[in-house]
Amino acid sequence: MQKKKILFMVAGVIGLIAIGIITYALTQQPDGSPNITTGKQTKGSSSADVYKKFSFAPLSGVSYVVTTTAADGSVSTTETDKNGNSRSTHTINGKKSTTIAIGDTVYECTDDKDCKTVDSALTPEQLKEIQDMDDRVNAKLEENAKFVGKVSCPGGTCAEWKVEGADTVAGVYTFFENGRIYKIVTDGKYGSTQVYEYKDVSVKAPSV
């Protein structure tokens, strides 16, 4: 549950709640088990399904970095290691803020110092509300997605999909051939560009 808490918190800070929910969905397997395949775009990992069906490959058990550039030009970065620990860094009103989640413990740091633990507990009702929103978002994405074509991307060729509709997270979604998301570009006042990079990441608890 902790991954859901931290990603939802970060998404709320930068005005991208829906994208935060999508990111959480990527970390989950249907049976809750981790996905231990690599995140690299490698020869032989191609799947024709990525060109036929809009679907997110789960990222549970995978190390990756997400760089988000918001419509106002602000940039935030979220690093997640293979154990599900995460570190999200963003700048608000000129101050750098970092949120670190290690297991069930969450830390808030200002300018990479002055770290303190925070209470991020959500009630069962709030968790259910997030899960319900997650289900609605994903259903609408799949319902409104249209395949655009093949595009060049790091390591090879990617599948590009466009999602339209006032009641969904409209934008362009680009997937690696192994099914992993590469880029999400959303529109509107709270639009953003999210780029996913799959590499080894280690997240450790700060000194408090």
Side-chain angles (χ1 to χ4, degrees), residues 137-158:
V137 167
N138 283 316
K140 283 295 182 180
L141 286 173
E142 294 179 13
E143 179 183 331
N144 293 279
K146 294 183 179 179
F147 180 63
V148 176
K150 296 181 179 181
V151 296
S152 297
C153 61
T157 303
C158 283

Side-chain angles (χ1 to χ4, degrees), residues 1-160:
M1 292 297 186
Q2 189 58 55
K3 287 176 287 186
K4 179 180 288 185
K5 297 175 188 176
I6 189 66
L7 289 171
F8 186 74
M9 289 166 56
V10 173
V13 170
I14 62 177
L16 299 170
I17 295 178
I19 295 299
I21 293 172
I22 293 170
T23 303
Y24 168 72
L26 296 181
T27 69
Q28 306 303 300
Q29 289 274 44
D31 62 356
S33 61
N35 175 9
I36 58 174
T37 56
T38 66
K40 297 180 180 179
Q41 175 83 323
T42 58
K43 185 176 181 180
S45 64
S46 177
S47 172
D49 290 345
V50 75
Y51 299 112
K52 298 179 179 179
K53 182 180 179 180
F54 182 96
S55 180
F56 293 100
L59 301 182
S60 180
V62 176
S63 293
Y64 60 98
V65 178
V66 184
T67 301
T68 302
T69 303
D72 62 4
S74 60
V75 178
S76 63
T77 302
T78 299
E79 302 169 89
T80 303
D81 66 22
K82 63 183 180 180
N83 297 314
N85 301 317
S86 63
R87 176 174 52 242
S88 299
T89 303
H90 44 272
T91 301
I92 300 177
N93 297 326
K95 284 192 174 183
K96 182 179 179 181
S97 177
T98 302
T99 303
I100 300 172
I102 306 293
D104 293 328
T105 304
V106 178
Y107 306 85
E108 287 283 359
C109 306
T110 302
D111 293 329
D112 289 329
K113 56 184 180 180
D114 300 328
C115 299
K116 60 183 180 181
T117 57
V118 296
D119 181 9
S120 64
L122 298 179
T123 66
E125 291 76 16
Q126 289 173 319
L127 291 173
K128 185 178 185 305
E129 182 179 349
I130 294 173
Q131 182 61 57
D132 290 344
M133 190 183 298
D134 169 20
D135 294 339
R136 292 195 299 271
V137 167
N138 283 316
K140 283 295 182 180
L141 286 173
E142 294 179 13
E143 179 183 331
N144 293 279
K146 294 183 179 179
F147 180 63
V148 176
K150 296 181 179 181
V151 296
S152 297
C153 61
T157 303
C158 283
E160 188 173 279

